[in-house]
């Protein structure tokens, strides 16, 4: 998956294999962060409500992280572009 940025390939300091390695590492770290936020949501007490559903908490975690990214970096950030399905 390639991100839709204004950078041309000549501006990137790494070749495709390095990009793939960096992308894999970024995905691994993102998944770990989603897991941490999901665990935090699962451990949050519920007042007389139904038990937490792990999948719902995971989706909420992803939504929270996406919104935090958009707030910090804007709608044109690489993460926002990936979440919107825009690739290059």
């Amino acid at each position: 998956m390639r991100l839709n940025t204004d950078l041309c390939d000549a501006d990137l300091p790494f070749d495709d294999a390095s990009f793939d390695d960096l992308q894999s590492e970024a995905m691994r770290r993102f998944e770990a962060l989603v897991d941490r936020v999901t665990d935090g949501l699962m451990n949050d007490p519920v007042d007389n409500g139904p038990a937490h559903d792990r999948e719902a908490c995971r989706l909420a975690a992803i939504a929270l992280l996406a919104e935090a990214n958009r707030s910090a970096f804007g709608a044109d950030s690489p993460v926002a572009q990936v979440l919107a399905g825009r690739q290059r």
Side-chain angles (χ1 to χ4, degrees), residues 1-35:
M1 177 185 299
R2 295 284 191 232
L3 302 178
N4 184 13
T5 66
D6 293 333
L7 297 173
C8 70
D9 288 337
D11 292 335
L12 299 175
F14 43 84
D15 60 18
D16 285 345
S18 293
F19 179 85
D20 292 341
D21 291 343
L22 289 171
Q23 182 182 26
S24 294
E25 179 64 13
M27 287 302 298
R28 186 190 66 74
R29 290 182 183 197
F30 179 75
E31 287 294 329
L33 181 57
V34 168
D35 288 343

Side-chain angles (χ1 to χ4, degrees), residues 59-76:
L59 292 173
I62 292 169
L64 288 169
L65 291 169
E67 184 56 36
N69 179 74
R70 276 190 289 278
S71 294
F73 301 107
D76 291 332

Side-chain angles (χ1 to χ4, degrees), residues 32-64:
L33 181 57
V34 168
D35 288 343
R36 281 182 42 210
V37 175
T38 300
D39 290 344
L41 292 171
M42 290 289 296
N43 292 326
D44 194 29
V46 178
D47 294 331
N48 297 326
H52 288 301
D53 175 80
R54 182 149 188 93
E55 187 61 25
C57 287
R58 183 169 177 77
L59 292 173
I62 292 169
L64 288 169

